[in-house]
Amino acid sequence: MHDVLSLFKRNINQLFGITVDILNVGRSLQQLSLSMQILANNGVVQAAKIQGGKGRPMLALVEILNNTPKEIRPEVAALEHLCAGLAKVTASSSNIVWRYHQLIASLLSAMARGGQPSASHDLASLSHLRFTTEADIAQLTRHPSFAAAGALERENRQFVVTLCQANLAELHERLKEALRCLGETQQALGGLKMIGLTARYMAFCIASEAAGLAEAEANFKNLSNEITRVVDDLDGKTLAMKRAIEHGQELLDLLLKGYTYAK
Amino acid sequence: MQSKVLFQKDDHQWVVIGRDPEKDDHVIDTNEYVIIHRGQAMLLDPGGIQIFPQVLAELAKYVRMQDIKVIFASHQDPDICSSLAMWLDMNPAIKTYCSWLWTGFVSHFSTGAVITLTPIPDDGMRIKIGEEGPEVEAVPAHYCHSSGNFSLYDPTAGILFSGDIGGALVPDHHASLVVTDFEQHIQYMRGFHLRWMPSTVALRGWTQRVRAIKPRMICPQHGSIFEGDNVGKLLDWLESLEVGQWKGATPKSETRAAA
């Protein structure tokens, strides 16, 4: 009867996977910033070789590029911090939903063996309940078999219901916190995209400047292509992260409404 | 899950909960016991997390959830107390006792809130049932299965909770909760003891301690309960056992060559 709740529980655990996806992409950006650093150093060396002051504009451009890795690192560190927060919230949510699931199972078990031969059969009328919302719990308590017990058992059932309600409310708070974490991660991602855009523009400027440097043109064109490739990689990774975040947001939106995600 | 009142005198009651027909086949069958004195309860080996809902549902017939004051864990195994976090989440004021050897290990069953355990010293101790209740006694049973292991004796009821000692793997949930034919029951206990009890010396030491206590009923965590003449028969049978005798398989020739 509480199959939906089992799926709900699994869905919450899926947030771990999403967090790991985001974290992995974040960490791969560190590697990318190293590649960018090597390219920038290479550019500085190549620009220094150009004689007669013609290399100065190029030197200025690669110096700007040289700053890109320094800009990426704190953004990635911020992402890691956010992901760590998200993992913590997810772990807490996972614990709460696990407890909640056991408590609902206890109630259903007690109601099914409530001493009346028809009690188990009667519970079939609750099969539509998902037990993922306050309303579902309220409906459970209104079912005749909930009250079909002695005073002590009724008191205990009410006690467990109160615990279920508290757990569900706490779970919703955690899920909202997770949603906030994902929103902040999305904002941090915006910063990385801006860095990528700047680097791409630098690559374009380097390629333009290289056109006037007959003897070094090929080297700088190569450098520009390499930068573009690295920025493409950055864009790909940020896109993957954006999708992971959006998937997480979609999942959390559903869970907060009491729905599950079956894909 | 079935439940049965084993003892009832004045405000003192023993209840056993076990034989769950809904339990998954891969989960070993367990008996959970509760001592209730003047409405306050002590839960003995509350069981694994898998069966928590069924135990709670059954226990709800006998005691207010807020009145479970004490939990006793005979040892550290998951079938004994992996549900501990659930019970403590329900009532963080429950005082939980287990061997000092396992407090740091059992704490790993936590699912959020820190599990604080009261360590039982090797020589055992007296434990109060609830705030005002009488005392029960943790009886050392080390190396009678676990290296940090306790039985629990309730002098008021004359019942000894023996943990895994006297345990049996009964065929199904229809098996009687109380042993009716001891000779017939041995077949379900023999393998259990030969494999899960590591020390004959320890087991014989335990039977001597228990003979001195003279319980009128012995309640194991698996299998069926012994009362009347069957208590003595169980102790005699345990004394006759040579346990912990596994000599190891013959190594394969490749393994010997590699060595």
Side-chain angles (χ1 to χ4, degrees):
Chain A
M1 185 176 288
H2 46 287
D3 286 353
V4 178
L5 186 53
S6 296
L7 180 59
F8 187 76
K9 194 168 74 165
R10 282 204 299 281
N11 282 164
I12 287 175
N13 288 337
Q14 279 169 9
L15 284 171
F16 278 120
I18 292 168
T19 308
V20 170
D21 284 348
I22 296 169
L23 203 57
N24 281 343
V25 176
R27 283 176 179 158
S28 70
L29 291 176
Q30 296 274 27
Q31 187 58 42
L32 214 111
S33 85
L34 275 177
S35 304
M36 194 75 88
Q37 184 84 64
I38 291 165
L39 289 175
N41 290 346
N42 185 23
V44 171
V45 172
Q46 294 294 335
K49 282 184 190 168
I50 302 167
Q51 292 176 354
K54 284 184 182 173
R56 268 187 210 138
M58 195 62 89
L59 203 56
L61 285 172
V62 289
E63 281 293 345
I64 296 169
L65 193 66
N66 209 12
N67 281 328
T68 310
K70 290 174 204 154
E71 289 165 8
I72 288 178
R73 263 178 237 129
E75 295 286 344
V76 172
L79 269 178
E80 286 209 16
H81 181 70
L82 287 168
C83 284
L86 188 59
K88 205 172 163 184
V89 173
T90 305
S92 172
S93 307
S94 179
N95 279 335
I96 297 165
V97 75
W98 182 78
R99 283 202 302 262
Y100 175 73
H101 182 266
Q102 293 292 94
L103 291 169
I104 289 286
S106 305
L107 275 177
L108 291 173
S109 178
M111 288 164 68
R113 64 184 77 181
Q116 294 185 335
S118 61
S120 181
H121 174 72
D122 284 343
L123 287 184
S125 64
L126 291 173
S127 61
H128 66 287
L129 293 183
R130 290 167 285 145
F131 301 111
T132 55
T133 63
E134 273 278 343
D136 287 343
I137 302 176
Q139 210 166 328
L140 181 76
T141 60
R142 286 196 294 270
H143 192 272
S145 64
F146 182 81
L152 175 64
E153 262 197 280
R154 281 204 308 274
E155 185 186 345
N156 279 329
R157 286 178 192 182
Q158 193 51 55
F159 177 73
V160 175
V161 161
T162 308
L163 285 178
C164 286
Q165 286 164 331
N167 273 298
L168 193 60
E170 197 183 342
L171 176 66
H172 279 188
E173 280 310 306
R174 293 287 180 280
L175 294 181
K176 280 178 198 163
E177 210 176 321
L179 202 55
R180 272 197 300 276
C181 269
L182 279 178
E184 286 172 27
T185 310
Q186 203 165 33
Q187 279 172 10
L189 201 60
L192 276 172
K193 285 196 80 162
M194 281 308 294
I195 294 168
L197 277 175
T198 309
R200 195 182 288 284
Y201 180 64
M202 287 299 114
F204 170 75
C205 292
I206 288 168
S208 303
E209 279 295 323
L213 302 169
E215 66 276 25
E217 185 181 355
N219 283 345
F220 280 104
K221 281 241 161 108
N222 274 344
L223 178 65
S224 169
N225 287 340
E226 277 301 299
I227 294 166
T228 305
R229 191 189 58 74
V230 170
V231 174
D232 284 346
D233 202 5
L234 176 76
D235 280 352
K237 287 184 190 313
T238 51
L239 183 65
M241 201 186 275
K242 181 172 173 281
R243 285 186 180 145
I245 291 169
E246 283 170 355
H247 175 47
Q249 286 170 328
E250 183 192 359
L251 183 61
L252 282 165
D253 276 335
L254 284 172
L255 294 173
L256 277 165
K257 287 173 192 154
Y259 294 111
T260 49
Y261 184 85
K263 271 185 225 169
Chain B
M1 211 136 206
Q2 298 173 32
S3 60
K4 183 181 174 180
V5 176
L6 294 175
F7 176 85
Q8 172 81 63
K9 191 179 177 192
D10 303 327
D11 293 334
H12 198 78
Q13 189 183 45
W14 268 71
V15 177
V16 58
I17 298 168
R19 301 286 194 275
D20 182 9
E22 292 162 29
K23 158 187 90 55
D24 288 338
D25 286 342
H26 63 276
V27 175
I28 190 169
D29 200 24
T30 56
N31 300 325
E32 285 68 43
Y33 298 91
V34 60
I35 311 173
I36 304 165
H37 184 86
R38 290 188 184 162
Q40 299 202 329
M42 178 179 198
L43 202 49
L44 314 181
D45 285 0
I49 188 61
Q50 284 262 353
I51 58 157
F52 169 82
Q54 289 74 30
V55 175
L56 174 62
E58 205 59 33
L59 191 62
K61 294 176 183 170
Y62 298 94
V63 64
R64 283 173 77 234
M65 293 298 111
Q66 303 94 311
D67 289 332
I68 301 170
K69 300 293 180 187
V70 185
I71 287 178
F72 167 81
S74 63
H75 60 284
Q76 81 290 4
D77 280 345
D79 64 317
I80 300 295
C81 56
S82 65
S83 63
L84 198 53
M86 288 299 304
W87 295 103
L88 294 181
D89 277 327
M90 279 208 320
N91 182 1
I94 293 176
K95 200 164 181 187
T96 306
Y97 292 84
C98 81
S99 164
W100 69 271
L101 204 61
W102 300 124
T103 50
F105 294 71
V106 170
S107 299
H108 278 275
F109 287 132
S110 163
T111 59
V114 176
I115 292 180
T116 309
L117 298 152
T118 305
I120 307 175
D122 277 344
D123 289 341
M125 67 185 290
R126 288 172 184 278
I127 301 167
K128 224 181 230 303
I129 305 169
E131 286 134 20
E132 302 296 328
E135 287 180 330
V136 289
E137 189 173 347
V139 179
H142 312 307
Y143 295 103
C144 295
H145 182 53
S146 169
S147 51
N149 200 35
F150 285 97
S151 302
L152 191 109
Y153 181 62
D154 175 9
T156 312
I159 299 178
L160 178 84
F161 168 64
S162 59
D164 276 4
I165 309 168
L169 300 174
V170 292
D172 60 34
H173 65 269
H174 297 299
S176 167
L177 265 170
V178 177
V179 175
T180 49
D181 183 340
F182 186 81
E183 298 306 322
Q184 175 72 15
H185 189 66
I186 286 176
Q187 62 181 314
Y188 306 127
M189 294 195 290
R190 182 181 296 282
F192 187 91
H193 286 76
L194 293 183
R195 191 66 180 91
W196 272 294
M197 295 290 152
S199 167
T200 301
V201 172
L203 193 55
R204 289 182 185 165
W206 182 84
T207 55
Q208 281 170 20
R209 277 192 292 281
V210 173
R211 280 189 199 283
I213 291 170
K214 295 191 179 82
R216 51 167 213 88
M217 194 184 281
I218 293 183
C219 299
Q221 198 238 345
H222 303 283
S224 305
I225 293 162
F226 304 85
E227 62 178 351
D229 291 347
N230 286 335
V231 169
K233 284 183 186 174
L234 172 68
L235 296 175
D236 291 345
W237 180 77
L238 289 171
E239 265 177 351
S240 73
L241 284 180
E242 291 283 345
V243 298
Q245 296 297 306
W246 194 73
K247 299 281 197 305
T250 310
K252 289 178 184 165
S253 54
E254 315 87 79
T255 320
R256 277 202 300 270

